[in-house]
Amino acid sequence: MDKFAALVLVILLLPLAGAVLISFAGPYLPRVAAAVIANGTLLVAFLMTGIVALTGWQATSSGQTIPQHFAYGTWALIPPLKISFGLLIDPLALTWMLIITGVGFLIHLYSVGYMASDRNYRTFFAYMNLFVFTMLLLVMSDNFLWLLVGWGGVGLASYLLIGFYYDRVSAVLAARKALIMNVIGDVGIMIAIFLIYAHLGSAAYSDVFARVASVGAPALTAIGLWLLLGAVAKSAQLPLHTWLPDAMEGPTPVSALIHAATMVTAGVYLIARCYPIYDHAPVAAEVVAVVGATSALFAATIGCVQYDIKRVLAYSTMSQIGYMMFAVGAGAYTAGAFHFLTHAFFKALLFMAAGIVIQNLGGEQDIRKMGGLAGKMPLAFWTFLIGTVAIAGVPPFAGFFSKDAVIDAAIALHHPVLGAFLIIAAFLTAFYMFRLLFLTFFSGAYRGDGAPHDHPMVSMNVPVVVLAILATVGGFLAAPLGAALRLTFVGALHDQDIATINWPVAAGAFLLVVAGIATAYALYQVRPQLRESLIRALAGPRQLVMNAYYLDTVYHWLVEVPAYAIADAAAGFFETFIIRAIPLAASATAAALGGFARAWESGQLRRYGLTIAVGVVLLLAWYVITAYAAASQGVLPQ
Amino acid sequence: MPQVPLADYLILATVLFVIGLVGFLVRRNPITMLMAIELMWNAGNLVFAAFARNFGDMTGQVFVFIVITVAAAEAAISLAIVVMVFRHREDVDVDDISVMRG
């Protein structure tokens, strides 16, 4: 193993080491030490990732090639099946790694302050480090099997962290819901891996992608659709998105890291990683694009009427991931990755700014009980404002460039309907984000019953400011990112250049964004009466959207009720007469045998004697009878 | 000197054995039961000796000595147990002695 391979492995293992150390040291570890370990491992991992990325950048720009693939070992379980452990560190993986470790570090730092008064402080950092490890494994793996290990691992970490406040029933239920929905996706990925193995004979990316051209489109379409099931569950797209809003039960840093910046984009990563499969399976790719664009619009409409600050952000996450999914489904992989990058900046920023507000209001999340906070919490306000204009797509903030890249791709790749969805979603995004901003920070005086105060904590403010800067300038990463990702998406059929901006489209989209902002301004700042009459006029549709189109209710009747009915029936019949009957029969048999044996153990000496005598007589009789029988056939007994 | 036929020895041994067996099963006094056991031992000894004589092979007589030795040891231990039980319970009816403890 050369030095570079060891360095890359250390990046992966550092967060795991942190998680193990914090878990095993338990209460013997001071709280400060847990925070230092968790933050330190991530900072070092980030710096090392940065070194790897810069080394790669320098080498490629000077015309050299550097190894991207590092093999560490292979074990043959059943002879034809070989599972290797290797890492693939290409520009795509590095993009994700930089966000996971970089934004992950900032969110860890933020958590030092945000979780300061929590009694499970160490557990929190252990879980967070575990999450970073599994997420890194997911993006660094060089084959589908280890990807699945990471995929399941992030699901576990997400489950643990959503249910972190385990004394709240709603949090436990939300965690369970997230786990169940993610397991549906895991099964999809497993089936995809089985199909890949059956058709392509390997699970390593390099083998699989080299052989896709030799496999028919139907098989690849099936693989692509099963992979999409996994991506849809993990990335909270239609129709498996309902866990994401509930996942906001977790602590705010968790929402920022897992349910905004990194884990929920794993589906986008998966499809971008499997671009050769989707390039050869246009039907599957089209389904990805449809799911993405529909989710983007669907979630944006729900975001317009929610009153929980974190739920609005959750729906906006789903909507923004819809953009990414559309991009990778349409074939514009670089645009999808670019939107992932900027989204990680501004969405983590929005969550963390919202976290400051929530903490300063003593845990209040309902925006109806906020308002007028701009002057009271200047830092939270300004950073939230930057995040809002970035996500809405106001130039020159990050979201403008990446969203424009996605919409450009929709037009260049001839997706008129889906492109229209995205453009409407862009309008709605601007509307609901500014609605959120106005309701939280303006719209008259403070409406809650708490005592708003600004309680600045360095460990919380620093990451927020850093992310605010990144959300401001992140859009200018388009050129280097596009140049780097060109090395990954070699031969991709429809990939689009993200560095050039289609100005007419951008201008049109920007006008819609301005319209969205203006609408929000009109309804929430200038004319609240108009808003009231609008709410009255559209009461029915509003009710529908507020309840997220009743999908939870549909799932309740479609899945939960039948499942409980089956379970009840099973409890009544199967449990009583089959499951319980088997141990009951076993115990009854044992008791009968024991009673029989016990009867012989009377302790009566004379009965023992009689038993022996009868036995002897029987044996003798048997011997005599057989001897006679043998003698009658002319054979003498021995 | 006329030879006593083998069958006579075996009949005698059988009679002795059955007397011993019935004695063991019907009596409740352990001393009497031990005597009955002794009868059965000796029925076996008689068979050994009779066959040894019949076949002119002394191995059977060797077995008789071994059996007598073992029987003596058995009798000693059994009588010791009987004495202990009697001391403990003032009674030695085997039907009452059905549990190991106490």
Side-chain angles (χ1 to χ4, degrees), chain A residues 582-599:
Chain A
I582 292 169
L584 280 181
S587 72
T589 312
L593 280 172
F596 180 72
R598 195 172 59 233

Side-chain angles (χ1 to χ4, degrees), chain A residues 111 302 403 421 498 511 581 609-610:
Chain A
S111 310
I302 302 174
K403 194 176 290 182
F421 280 15
I498 55 169
L511 279 181
L610 185 64

Side-chain angles (χ1 to χ4, degrees), chain A residues 491-531:
Chain A
L493 298 177
H494 311 296
D495 203 13
Q496 302 289 312
D497 181 22
I498 55 169
T500 53
I501 297 171
N502 185 347
W503 285 109
V505 176
F510 178 59
L511 279 181
L512 271 173
V513 166
V514 171
I517 297 171
T519 315
Y521 184 71
L523 290 181
Y524 290 92
Q525 284 299 111
V526 189
R527 290 200 192 279
Q529 329 74 287
L530 186 62
R531 180 177 82 214

Side-chain angles (χ1 to χ4, degrees), chain A residues 5 22 53 90 100 133 169 228 270 303 319 321 343 396 427 482-483 551 589 630:
Chain A
I22 297 170
D90 64 353
I100 295 163
F133 162 69
V169 176
L228 174 64
L270 178 71
S319 173
I321 293 170
H343 176 256
F427 166 76
L551 263 184
T589 312

Side-chain angles (χ1 to χ4, degrees), chain A residues 45-124:
Chain A
F46 172 64
L47 293 176
M48 286 164 79
T49 312
I51 291 169
V52 172
L54 283 179
T55 314
W57 180 262
Q58 277 183 339
T60 13
S61 49
S62 61
Q64 296 166 302
T65 51
I66 57 159
Q68 298 187 335
H69 181 247
F70 307 97
Y72 297 95
T74 303
W75 56 102
L77 293 176
I78 310 159
L81 179 66
K82 270 190 181 164
I83 295 174
S84 59
F85 179 71
L87 300 178
L88 177 65
I89 313 299
D90 64 353
L92 179 66
L94 274 171
T95 309
W96 254 265
M97 283 164 68
L98 283 169
I99 293 295
I100 295 163
T101 54
V103 176
F105 166 67
L106 290 174
I107 293 172
H108 270 63
L109 191 60
Y110 178 85
S111 310
V112 172
Y114 191 84
M115 303 301 289
S117 56
D118 196 283
R119 66 195 161 96
N120 294 322
Y121 193 67
R122 303 178 194 87
T123 318
F124 179 81

Side-chain angles (χ1 to χ4, degrees), chain B residues 6-17:
Chain B
L6 178 65
D8 290 3
Y9 287 110
L10 296 184
I11 289 165
L12 176 62
T14 311
V15 170
L16 279 174
F17 189 86

Side-chain angles (χ1 to χ4, degrees), chain A residues 445-508:
Chain A
Y446 176 64
R447 296 180 293 272
D449 38 18
H453 56 284
D454 204 8
H455 186 67
M457 278 185 167
V458 177
S459 80
M460 285 167 75
N461 291 348
V462 168
V464 172
V465 170
V466 173
L467 277 174
I469 295 167
L470 286 171
T472 310
V473 301
F476 299 104
L477 291 170
L481 183 75
L485 287 178
R486 213 164 288 143
L487 301 174
T488 291
F489 301 122
V490 178
L493 298 177
H494 311 296
D495 203 13
Q496 302 289 312
D497 181 22
I498 55 169
T500 53
I501 297 171
N502 185 347
W503 285 109
V505 176

Side-chain angles (χ1 to χ4, degrees), chain B residues 14-89:
Chain B
T14 311
V15 170
L16 279 174
F17 189 86
V18 171
I19 291 171
L21 180 61
V22 172
F24 180 80
L25 293 180
V26 300
R27 303 308 292 257
R28 293 193 300 191
N29 185 323
I31 306 287
T32 320
M33 289 169 79
L34 281 172
M35 285 159 65
I37 291 170
E38 209 64 34
L39 269 182
M40 288 189 279
W41 283 115
N42 284 315
N45 282 343
L46 186 59
V47 174
F48 270 125
F51 275 107
R53 181 187 167 88
N54 188 49
F55 294 124
D57 182 347
M58 290 306 110
T59 316
Q61 299 205 0
V62 173
F63 264 105
V64 171
F65 283 107
I66 293 172
V67 169
I68 288 171
T69 317
V70 173
E74 176 255 11
I77 292 169
S78 307
L79 286 170
I81 292 172
V82 170
V83 170
M84 294 303 289
V85 169
F86 182 77
R87 280 189 188 161
H88 190 69
R89 302 171 58 104

